[in-house]
Amino acid sequence: MNTIKCICMECQTVFHADYCKPLECPTCESPEVRPAEPCPKCGGAMRPRDWLCRPCRKALLARITNFFDTLTCEEESQFDEWMDGDSVSDRRHWERSDEE
């Protein structure tokens, strides 16, 4: 029997299913099930529309939160100014304070 790794788009349950059968999540019974994609960071299962799997997203959020919790009010203001309309990947183009 040919099985594939599937992921529920609603509850993110990962399970194996017969490729030929209609898919339904065994946890929440949602019909919104897709073949799982491999997470580029850890190789775990992730939804096709995501950049990272759920555990990696949670770990990233914790790292970012821990970092921001260390900033002073002035550093937060500077970061806010840098981010004004930008994405994090645009940070390579921000002015460096030592160049001003």
Side-chain angles (χ1 to χ4, degrees):
M1 183 184 318
N2 205 8
T3 63
I4 58 169
K5 189 181 283 189
C6 301
I7 189 164
C8 177
M9 299 297 282
E10 300 295 324
C11 72
Q12 299 185 46
T13 296
V14 178
F15 61 98
H16 285 85
D18 183 356
Y19 187 76
C20 298
K21 290 184 180 179
L23 301 176
E24 184 177 276
C25 177
T27 302
C28 71
E29 299 179 355
S30 169
E32 296 297 318
V33 174
R34 303 287 182 272
E37 298 285 333
C39 175
K41 183 161 176 62
C42 73
M46 68 176 203
R47 296 178 296 190
R49 68 175 191 236
D50 290 336
W51 292 97
L52 298 170
C53 69
R54 187 179 206 174
C56 287
R57 286 195 316 271
K58 285 184 176 185
L60 176 60
L61 181 60
R63 286 175 40 215
I64 290 170
T65 301
N66 289 337
F67 167 72
F68 283 119
D69 286 347
T70 67
L71 298 181
T72 64
C73 290
E74 295 79 13
E75 289 170 327
E76 285 180 358
S77 295
Q78 178 63 69
F79 189 81
D80 288 342
E81 184 178 306
W82 283 336
M83 288 300 298
D84 187 31
D86 273 345
S87 69
V88 171
S89 57
D90 287 335
R91 74 187 182 286
R92 293 171 191 90
H93 306 292
W94 295 341
E95 290 182 32
R96 305 213 185 270
S97 60
D98 58 345
E99 295 175 356
E100 295 178 352

